[in-house]
Every structure is written in structure tokens, then in C-alpha cells.
Amino acid sequence: MIKFKTLKVKGFKSFVEPTEVIIEQGLTGIVGPNGCGKSNIVESLRWCMGETSAKSMRGSGMEDIIFSGTSNRPEKNFSEVSIFIDNKDKNGPSQYSQLDEILVTRKIERDKGSKYFINDKEVRARDAQMFFADLSTGAHSPSMISQGRIGALVTAKP
């Protein structure tokens, strides 16, 4: 079974500075006060795994995920999210089975669109999406619960 090890976020929504989230063994939850960026962490994971809907990222266009600036900081022109995946058990897709760690990165630059990379090699969006599908996960995985979904799960009928 593969395991996400680390999430690195740079210029993504509220994360102007490079930020690293270590994902430990077991269930990982993100807690904090309103407005601290909890939803942005989950959205960065989904975005890196191939999310294509700006609406589901709470934006009107995909470039809305790039840090838009504050009164103290200028806007950024790019955003980058990287997921480090532990593959020591060699359970990843066959073309990566010999590697102990797999790095998936998505970058977006204002007015230029986004690019995907697996182990620093540029790949098509479809390749990145299929990589996560092969791992039985992805941007729409039921194991990732984003903002507003907990209430829907609690009130759902059997």
C-alpha cells in the first residue's frame, strides 16, 4: 500500500510562503480556527491529483488558486503543489515500482496554464490523473473530505 508522506505547497491560495505538511501514519485531520487555510490544504491535494473544476476549488477560474496578494504582500504569478509518496513496499504503478519515493508536482503560472510532473519529468494531465487512479485514489476520492462534506455525511440517509 502506498502512503502520502509530505505535501509541499507554495503560492497556493493563502500559502504564499513554502509550506510543508507531513502526513503521518493513520488518519490525518487538519484542525484550526476559521480562515487558517484548512480547506486550502485539502484543495491543494485535490488540485495536484488532477482536479480540473475551478468551481470545486472555490474559484471562478483555475488561476484563482494562485496567491492573489494582501495589503502587505504582492500577488504571486505561480503556484506549485508537490506530493511525496512513499513507495518502499513497491506497490506503485509498474513504471515506478522500482522507486522508494515518487514525487508528483503540479505547477500553474498566470496566463500560461498548468503542468504536471512525476519525478521531475513533465507528463500530461491524463497521466497524472491515471497515476492516482492506479493507486485507487484521486481528486474525487471518497477518502478525502473537503469543506461542507462532513455535514452532508452526517445528515445523509442510509
Side-chain angles (χ1 to χ4, degrees):
M1 179 171 156
I2 65 101
K3 174 188 152 205
F4 289 179
K5 288 175 49 175
T6 308
L7 172 70
K8 287 189 178 181
V9 182
K10 182 174 165 182
F12 187 90
K13 290 195 170 195
S14 59
F15 293 94
V16 62
E17 296 295 328
T19 303
E20 186 174 299
V21 177
I22 297 170
I23 303 169
E24 297 289 342
Q25 190 75 22
L27 182 65
T28 299
I30 301 168
V31 296
N34 291 342
C36 73
K38 299 179 299 288
S39 296
N40 294 345
I41 294 287
V42 175
E43 287 178 359
S44 69
L45 275 168
R46 291 181 48 236
W47 183 72
C48 190
M49 289 192 279
E51 179 59 67
T52 57
S53 168
K55 183 178 177 185
S56 71
M57 302 293 292
R58 297 180 297 145
S60 59
M62 199 50 82
E63 288 186 358
D64 288 346
I65 63 107
I66 301 172
F67 179 74
S68 60
T70 66
S71 59
N72 299 331
R73 293 185 161 221
E75 70 177 12
K76 294 286 186 181
N77 287 323
F78 73 95
S79 177
E80 180 178 323
V81 176
S82 297
I83 302 171
F84 291 82
I85 299 168
D86 184 341
N87 190 39
K88 287 183 180 146
D89 294 338
K90 311 296 185 208
N91 292 327
S94 60
Q95 66 267 42
Y96 305 104
S97 62
Q98 75 281 5
L99 303 172
D100 288 340
E101 184 175 86
I102 304 167
L103 172 64
V104 179
T105 302
R106 184 174 180 184
K107 300 176 183 183
I108 187 170
E109 194 170 345
R110 217 174 280 286
D111 300 322
K112 293 187 180 177
S114 65
K115 295 181 180 180
Y116 293 85
F117 301 85
I118 298 179
N119 291 339
D120 297 322
K121 178 184 174 197
E122 188 171 347
V123 297
R124 301 173 306 166
R126 189 78 180 133
D127 296 331
Q129 292 164 345
M130 288 307 298
F131 171 83
F132 286 106
D134 288 346
L135 299 176
S136 300
T137 189
H140 302 285
S141 171
S143 62
M144 287 182 33
I145 303 170
S146 53
Q147 184 174 9
R149 296 294 303 148
I150 292 175
L153 289 171
V154 171
T155 59
K157 295 181 180 175

